[in-house]
């Protein structure tokens, strides 16, 4: 049995919850961890017995694809790399299984809280429509970020499979992303991460039971932005001190030139 098979088995033992029973979490504090796949069954087995797994039409793993946009000067990337308070991410996110697509804008709220705004999108999946651009500009202006005079262009694509767990005791969530692929716009330069999972808790400032379990297993939150870390891995000329420890420990092939 492979590590991924063990993960599927562990997920299959959890009780399901429907999408309509999940409370919205557009404002939250995110903590991200990178785990070897072999550690995931231990994590699932140690969670509170009330934990539920999102299930839709009998499926518990769902495909995501995100196309990120940034300015020619990479204001979004550099804002995160230099930990500026006013920073942003802008993407077209496609939920592959239901076939839904949204334009999503992520900014920072008070005390480091992540704020996500989004609207449905039915335009060209490779570019921002005028309506989507106007929406993004309005959201960013509300967060004190004015890039209306700058061009926005595709910079990175991410694709992965996600499992979402609901922890009802704290109305929090835990997402587990496997099979992550980062790709540059040329469609050729890619990095695959088949033996690692990115685990993210979405909860209040004090954390949730999943955070405390991860800490007890000696896993600590890491600065592993899919956009920032991925672009740093594929474009080594960019400033990347914030993400170098993560790349060295978990994605060393991104640094030795042996990209898949």
């Amino acid at each position: 049995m492979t590590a991924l098979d063990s993960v599927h088995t562990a997920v299959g033992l959890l009780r399901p919850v429907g999408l309509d029973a999940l409370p919205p979490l557009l404002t939250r504090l995110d903590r991200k961890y990178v785990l070897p796949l072999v550690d995931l069954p231990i994590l699932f087995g140690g969670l509170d017995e009330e934990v539920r797994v999102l299930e839709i039409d009998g499926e518990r793993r769902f495909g995501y694809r995100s196309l990120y946009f940034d300015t020619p000067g990479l204001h979004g990337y550099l804002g995160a790399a230099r930990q500026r308070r006013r920073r942003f991410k802008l993407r077209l996110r496609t939920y592959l299984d239901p076939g839904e697509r949204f334009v999503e804008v992520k900014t920072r709220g008070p005390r480091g809280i992540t704020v996500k705004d989004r609207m449905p999108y039915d335009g060209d999946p490779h570019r921002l429509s005028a309506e989507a651009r106007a929406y993004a500009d309005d959201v960013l202006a509300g967060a004190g970020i004015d890039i209306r005079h700058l061009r926005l262009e595709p910079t990175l694509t991410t694709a992965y499979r996600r499992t979402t767990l609901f922890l009802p005791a704290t109305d929090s969530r835990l997402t587990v992303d496997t099979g992550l692929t980062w790709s540059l716009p040329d469609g050729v330069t890619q990095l695959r991460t088949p033996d690692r999972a990115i685990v993210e808790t979405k909860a209040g400032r004090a954390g949730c039971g999943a955070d405390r379990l991860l800490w007890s297993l000696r896993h600590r939150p890491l600065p592993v932005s899919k956009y920032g870390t991925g672009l740093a891995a594929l474009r080594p000329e960019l400033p990347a001190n914030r993400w170098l420890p993560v790349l060295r420990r978990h994605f060393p092939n991104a640094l030795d030139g042996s990209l898949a």
Side-chain angles (χ1 to χ4, degrees):
M1 179 181 291
T2 67
L4 195 55
D5 289 335
S6 297
V7 173
H8 294 166
T9 299
V11 170
L13 296 174
L14 301 176
R15 284 183 286 180
V17 64
L19 185 61
D20 57 351
L22 291 181
L25 278 177
L26 296 182
T27 302
R28 72 282 177 105
L29 183 65
D30 301 339
R31 294 178 177 86
K32 299 176 184 177
Y33 308 80
V34 180
L35 274 65
L37 287 185
V38 295
D39 287 359
L40 290 180
I42 300 172
L43 170 64
F44 294 154
L47 291 171
D48 187 282
E49 63 182 13
E50 295 301 315
V51 67
R52 300 287 189 271
V53 60
L54 176 63
E55 182 176 290
I56 302 175
D57 296 331
E59 296 294 328
R60 297 186 173 195
R61 296 176 67 239
F62 306 96
Y64 285 57
R65 180 180 293 122
S66 296
L67 175 60
Y68 288 87
F69 292 81
D70 211 333
T71 67
L74 296 178
H75 286 70
Y77 173 85
L78 293 176
R82 294 166 180 166
Q83 301 186 63
R84 293 172 179 158
R85 186 173 68 85
R86 288 192 174 93
R87 55 187 189 261
F88 71 93
K89 293 175 191 169
L90 173 60
R91 66 195 179 202
L92 289 181
R93 168 163 283 184
T94 302
Y95 298 82
L96 297 174
D97 299 288
E100 297 177 333
R101 184 174 293 117
F102 295 85
V103 55
E104 298 185 344
V105 187
K106 296 178 77 172
T107 55
R108 305 283 284 186
R111 302 178 68 185
I113 295 294
T114 298
V115 179
K116 182 170 75 173
D117 294 273
R118 71 178 192 173
M119 64 173 283
Y121 184 81
D122 59 3
D124 187 334
H126 306 294
R127 59 185 294 273
L128 290 174
S129 67
E131 180 186 13
R133 176 63 199 258
Y135 173 79
D137 285 341
D138 286 346
V139 171
L140 291 173
I145 303 169
D146 186 0
I147 59 168
R148 287 172 289 187
H149 59 294
L150 297 173
R151 188 172 76 253
L152 288 171
E153 56 193 20
T155 50
L156 185 76
T157 298
T158 64
Y160 50 90
R161 304 290 294 179
R162 169 167 288 185
T163 299
T164 298
L165 306 185
F166 175 48
L167 288 71
T170 53
D171 274 348
S172 54
R173 297 188 201 177
L174 180 146
T175 60
V176 180
D177 298 338
T178 57
L180 174 64
T181 300
W182 286 307
S183 306
L184 290 183
D186 62 14
V188 176
T189 308
Q190 295 186 342
L191 174 62
R192 301 179 185 276
T193 62
D195 62 346
R196 290 289 190 275
I198 295 182
V199 174
E200 185 171 353
T201 62
K202 306 168 191 293
R205 177 160 294 276
C208 60
D211 288 299
R212 289 183 284 276
L213 174 59
L214 285 160
W215 301 338
S216 73
L217 295 173
R218 300 183 181 276
H219 295 292
R220 293 293 181 267
L222 297 171
V224 64
S225 153
K226 289 189 185 70
Y227 178 54
T229 308
L231 206 56
L234 295 176
R235 293 186 54 182
E237 78 278 8
L238 296 177
N241 288 344
R242 176 169 170 74
W243 297 295
L244 281 178
V246 176
L247 291 172
R248 286 171 178 152
R249 179 176 179 183
H250 295 286
F251 312 109
N253 59 327
L255 301 176
D256 64 13
S258 58
L259 296 181

